[in-house]
Amino acid sequence: MPQLPAEIDQQELASERQDNLGSLLSRASEMFGFEVLAEFKARDLGPIKENHLDLLLSMDLEGIRISHLAERSGLSKQTVGPLVREMTKRGIVALKPDPTDGRAKLVVLTKNGIKMLLAYVGITRDITQRYVETVGQRRMTQLHSTLKKLVEEFEEIAS
């Protein structure tokens, strides 16, 4: 087994692995997503996956093409297609002809999908409020504006 350089010890490496910015952001995002899914289950809103929620938030109320949905959600068309089929089977969305192009289909929210979208918005607001109660409004506002600035600044690098 290769030796670590003298300036890095195992404890320092473990701390860096857990406390670096990327790991903390990822863990916070995972916890938030877990809370949302748990709340959907607790409210008996039906089985839903985190990717389904990503697509719900990416929808247009008048409908959206799968290619635009993929682009907006940050998922590939190959990923979005099967997710849309799953959501169709669960009664969350439906496919309708695109009035501007007879060959294309629009993904539209069903009544159940609109109910789930509204629930999702409410649930995320409730979770955010609990976070505000934990860290305070000023710190949460700073966190939000800082994360937004980072995304705006470095989003092009990621794409």
Side-chain angles (χ1 to χ4, degrees), residues 4-98:
L4 289 173
E7 58 272 3
I8 299 176
D9 68 14
Q10 193 61 35
Q11 187 174 6
E12 192 177 3
L13 187 60
S15 176
E16 178 60 26
R17 190 170 34 248
Q18 287 185 337
D19 294 336
N20 76 63
L21 181 61
S23 292
L24 291 172
L25 289 171
S26 179
R27 288 171 37 213
S29 178
E30 287 173 11
M31 290 183 326
F32 192 90
F34 177 78
E35 286 189 68
V36 169
L37 292 173
E39 195 60 35
F40 258 83
K41 186 175 182 180
R43 294 183 187 188
D44 199 26
L45 292 167
I48 194 157
K49 296 179 180 177
E50 194 167 352
N51 282 343
H52 293 160
L53 295 174
D54 293 339
L55 293 185
L56 268 179
L57 266 189
S58 300
M59 293 283 297
D60 285 338
L61 294 178
E62 65 277 358
I64 187 169
R65 288 186 184 185
I66 286 180
S67 58
H68 294 133
L69 188 56
E71 184 179 311
R72 189 178 289 170
S73 67
L75 300 170
S76 70
K77 282 194 279 186
Q78 294 79 7
T79 300
V80 171
L83 289 171
V84 166
R85 283 192 292 280
E86 288 175 14
M87 293 171 74
T88 301
K89 287 179 185 172
R90 294 176 187 200
I92 301 168
V93 298
L95 294 174
K96 297 200 173 177
D98 184 339

Side-chain angles (χ1 to χ4, degrees), residues 20-22 24-25 141-159:
N20 76 63
L21 181 61
L24 291 172
L25 289 171
T141 300
Q142 286 176 329
L143 174 63
H144 185 269
S145 63
T146 300
L147 290 173
K148 192 171 179 179
K149 174 69 174 165
L150 286 170
V151 168
E152 289 168 358
E153 189 70 27
F154 297 103
E155 193 167 37
E156 284 185 26
I157 296 171
S159 35

